[in-house]
Amino acid sequence: MTSNKGFSILHLCFLITFWTANSQYKTIHPKNEFRAVWIATVVNIDWPKTGRDSVEKQKADFIQILDTYKKLNYNAVIVQIRSVGDAFYPTQLAPWSRYLTGKEGQAPNPYYDPLAWMIEQAHQRGYEFHAWLNPYRATFDTKTETLSKEHDFFKHRDWMIKYGEAGKEKYYYNPALPEVQSHLIAVVEEVVRNYDVDAIHFDDYFYPYRVTGKVFNDSASFKKYAYKQSLADWRRDNVNTFVKGIYYSIKKIKPWVQFGISPFGVWRNKSVDPRGSDTQAGQTNYDDLYADPIAWMEGKYIDYMLPQLYWSIDHKTASYSKLLKWWADNSSNVNVYIGNGSYKIKSDSDKKWFIPGEIPNQIDLTRTYPNIQGNAYFSAKSFVNNNKDVAQLLENNQYKYPAIPLPVPSSTKTGLERPLINAFTKEGDSYQFSFKKTLSDQIRYIIVYSVNDHSKLDCNDPIQIVEKVFIDAKSESIKWTISRDKLNNAKKVAFTFIDFYGNESIAEIVNINTEIKPNKND
């Protein structure tokens, strides 16, 4: 990774001027847009920095990630809570992760529930929390002596298939086994039931990426369970059945919790299927991972699609621009976001990644497609004290203003009721507001809007979003205090509610010059 030493304000100003003058696309500022970052825990990619870190350091480092992306107006975090048959939360279904405590099966000391704590910290800062699980990968290597005796490798050895490049093999859960599917669904159900997550998220690991000369040995299962199907169709059917089972299990428990998948960026190459993209990818979802995102969308058992387009805009064999258009043309029934490879900045053989404007241009290009509503970035360490020139471009341009994530597709519009002001008073240089909890079991956030004296209040304008306030569902009242300066000395302020489904209510407008005293009967 290229060092940022010697980075200067003068250099930054030059970069911003250069990028602005040479950008191919116009920057627009949508009010509703998904802006997420993946926080990878496997092999300590992003967090914790090592499995030996103290709980105090773990918490400080996680908050640093949240605060870094809060400054950039991101609104969602995708946090890896299960990567190799392990867990970042207390459960009887998997051992504690070694990436959290240094030893698999060992609880944090002093004890805390990392998942509950991370969700709380994320929500307080206005983020959606997407719990990211790798369902099929059981181990990261074949050193089984490092596994806890509570790992599924020892409890259910017959579930495991060894596969991979020589010296780099891993164990995988056999996707064909009904008992494996039931177990993995139970893992997801426990998380949804016990934690206040906004979404369950899977990435691109379904059947493992193909390794030349190696065979994923599921022949016994194929013989037992396949019915007049080819091996490829049978494997795809196994994945489709599992994905569908996850979706309906989530919705049965908490219908507002989303289910999203971030598949590999190429469905199929056009050379093997006229419906495919104009790419020459060495592996594809459909033919190698046995994952069929088109079927998931058509079947309506997924809420959002987040394909990983980790290439530059004009890449020769897998162009970001061509794939972006393909996903825009071939998506249906879901929210569609794009995964961007910020990890490649200044560290890839493709020299386009050394141009600070590559990611900003990718965002601007993405925004030209109305049915694609945001981006997510792999991974978190890309902008934490790193790549400051690119981060500054985003802060000054594409992500200059806040945005609100998209509602759950086809969700019940439960958030249309206007917030009811119970009391509004002035104390010194601050204002205090309280609201009636008419939707107490549905409110996730209050969005606050204001403008200066010379502009019209417009709740469709993201420039006018002042704050996103988390509402604890357990609290009996909603109270909020803000300074006069933060409201831009406005004469009027508007409030809306965001419900658990992501729907925004009608606005309640308050005249700052008129106090509202609480009713004694309230």
Side-chain angles (χ1 to χ4, degrees):
M1 188 67 72
T2 302
S3 171
N4 282 312
K5 291 181 180 178
F7 182 80
S8 65
I9 297 298
L10 183 62
H11 180 58
L12 173 62
C13 291
F14 170 77
L15 285 173
I16 293 173
T17 302
F18 178 83
W19 173 81
T20 303
N22 291 276
S23 176
Q24 305 172 54
Y25 315 100
K26 180 181 178 181
T27 297
I28 57 177
H29 299 287
K31 178 190 167 182
N32 292 99
E33 183 175 61
F34 186 73
R35 300 175 185 172
V37 59
W38 277 284
I39 302 177
T41 60
V42 65
V43 296
N44 302 107
I45 290 175
D46 291 310
W47 181 87
K49 292 185 178 179
T50 76
R52 302 178 301 277
D53 289 350
S54 66
V55 169
E56 182 180 13
K57 186 176 187 304
Q58 288 176 3
K59 290 184 174 182
D61 288 341
F62 191 79
I63 288 173
Q64 182 185 28
I65 293 173
L66 295 184
D67 289 348
T68 295
Y69 285 90
K70 173 74 171 176
K71 185 180 179 183
L72 291 173
N73 283 320
Y74 281 56
N75 52 35
V77 289
I78 305 170
V79 184
Q80 192 173 32
I81 65 168
R82 176 189 170 97
S83 61
V84 284
D86 56 1
F88 269 66
Y89 55 94
T91 174
Q92 297 298 311
L93 298 177
W96 284 101
S97 174
R98 78 187 68 177
Y99 307 124
L100 178 72
T101 66
K103 182 180 179 181
E104 190 168 281
Q106 180 173 289
N109 184 21
Y111 181 85
Y112 79 118
D113 183 338
L115 180 53
W117 179 82
M118 289 189 293
I119 293 170
E120 178 185 21
Q121 295 299 314
H123 281 164
Q124 286 178 359
R125 290 165 175 80
Y127 290 105
E128 287 187 351
F129 189 98
H130 294 228
W132 167 20
L133 301 89
N134 298 94
Y136 292 142
R137 187 173 61 194
T139 71
F140 202 75
D141 51 40
T142 56
K143 298 176 182 178
T144 56
E145 67 274 10
T146 65
L147 300 177
S148 164
K149 295 303 180 184
E150 297 302 309
H151 193 283
D152 284 332
F153 176 86
F154 295 112
K155 295 168 72 174
H156 303 285
R157 183 67 183 85
D158 57 319
W159 291 0
M160 303 294 158
I161 295 177
K162 184 179 178 180
Y163 181 78
E165 184 181 341
K168 297 182 180 179
E169 296 96 340
K170 299 175 176 64
Y171 284 99
Y172 295 87
Y173 290 89
N174 184 349
L177 300 181
E179 55 268 37
V180 165
Q181 295 204 16
S182 295
H183 175 70
L184 296 176
I185 288 173
V187 168
V188 170
E189 287 178 335
E190 182 183 52
V191 171
V192 173
R193 187 176 291 110
N194 293 345
Y195 294 94
D196 190 17
V197 297
D198 297 284
I200 293 295
H201 178 93
F202 290 169
D203 57 9
D204 55 319
Y205 291 106
F206 291 95
Y207 278 83
Y209 282 87
R210 176 172 41 82
V211 177
T212 302
K214 299 290 182 177
V215 175
F216 188 77
N217 189 10
D218 56 357
S219 58
S221 299
F222 178 63
K223 184 177 181 180
K224 182 176 181 180
Y225 294 110
Y227 179 73
K228 295 182 179 180
Q229 294 172 293
S230 68
L231 177 64
D233 286 343
W234 173 73
R235 286 177 173 175
R236 278 188 288 271
D237 190 54
N238 291 335
V239 173
N240 291 346
T241 299
F242 175 61
V243 169
K244 188 182 300 183
I246 291 289
Y247 177 83
Y248 287 112
S249 295
I250 292 170
K251 299 303 179 180
K252 185 176 180 180
I253 300 168
K254 293 178 182 176
W256 59 86
V257 172
Q258 300 177 66
F259 180 36
I261 296 180
S262 179
F264 180 69
V266 180
W267 176 66
R268 300 190 86 185
N269 291 316
K270 196 172 185 177
S271 59
V272 298
D273 189 328
R275 299 173 300 166
S277 54
D278 184 14
T279 50
Q280 296 84 47
Q283 301 202 43
T284 66
N285 277 296
Y286 190 90
D287 298 295
D288 300 288
L289 305 180
Y290 305 101
D292 189 0
I294 299 297
W296 308 335
M297 291 187 288
E298 289 178 347
K300 298 182 181 180
Y301 45 88
I302 188 172
D303 291 306
Y304 71 80
M305 188 68 68
L306 211 174
Q308 298 172 21
L309 307 191
Y310 293 166
W311 300 277
S312 60
I313 289 176
D314 299 316
H315 193 276
K316 291 183 179 179
T317 59
S319 158
Y320 181 92
S321 59
K322 289 181 179 179
L323 282 166
L324 179 67
K325 184 179 187 305
W326 187 90
W327 283 99
D329 291 342
N330 290 277
S331 298
S332 60
N333 304 318
V334 300
N335 291 336
V336 184
Y337 317 126
I338 299 299
N340 301 74
S342 55
Y343 72 98
K344 288 188 172 182
I345 297 172
K346 304 186 185 75
S347 63
D348 194 73
S349 59
D350 181 354
K351 298 306 177 184
K352 293 291 182 67
W353 289 103
F354 287 79
I355 301 172
E358 178 64 28
I359 286 287
N361 281 334
Q362 289 186 6
I363 299 169
D364 286 342
L365 178 58
T366 303
R367 288 173 175 171
T368 65
Y369 291 91
N371 64 329
I372 296 182
Q373 304 105 342
N375 301 78
Y377 302 82
F378 188 85
S379 67
K381 65 183 179 182
S382 299
F383 295 139
V384 178
N385 298 321
N386 206 2
N387 298 313
K388 294 181 180 179
D389 50 351
V390 180
Q392 195 66 56
L393 284 173
L394 297 179
E395 184 177 349
N396 290 353
N397 296 280
Q398 285 72 23
Y399 292 163
K400 185 175 182 179
Y401 304 110
I404 300 170
L406 283 295
V408 180
S410 304
S411 65
T412 304
K413 300 298 186 291
T414 56
L416 299 181
E417 191 170 338
R418 178 183 281 110
L420 299 177
I421 300 291
N422 181 47
F424 157 54
T425 58
K426 305 172 187 177
E427 292 192 10
D429 290 330
S430 296
Y431 301 115
Q432 290 186 339
F433 299 88
S434 67
F435 301 86
K436 296 179 181 178
K437 286 196 84 174
T438 56
L439 301 174
S440 59
D441 60 339
Q442 294 290 342
I443 301 169
R444 176 71 84 192
Y445 299 104
I446 293 177
I447 305 296
V448 187
Y449 300 84
S450 78
V451 289
N452 60 36
D453 295 345
H454 305 292
S455 301
K456 182 181 179 181
L457 191 61
D458 181 4
C459 293
N460 292 313
D461 185 353
I463 297 174
Q464 298 187 16
I465 297 175
V466 175
E467 196 162 350
K468 186 179 183 181
V469 184
F470 173 67
I471 302 302
D472 187 347
K474 297 177 183 177
S475 64
E476 295 182 359
S477 61
I478 303 174
K479 294 183 179 180
W480 178 68
T481 300
I482 191 169
S483 68
R484 182 190 301 264
D485 290 342
K486 196 163 187 179
L487 289 180
N488 301 315
N489 296 310
K491 292 182 179 179
K492 292 183 178 180
V493 179
F495 300 92
T496 61
F497 284 156
I498 302 289
D499 71 3
F500 279 26
Y501 292 87
N503 299 303
E504 187 172 17
S505 73
I506 298 169
E508 174 72 4
I509 299 175
V510 178
N511 188 331
I512 292 294
N513 297 320
T514 304
E515 290 192 13
I516 303 172
K517 299 297 183 180
N519 189 319
K520 292 182 180 180
N521 296 323
D522 290 331

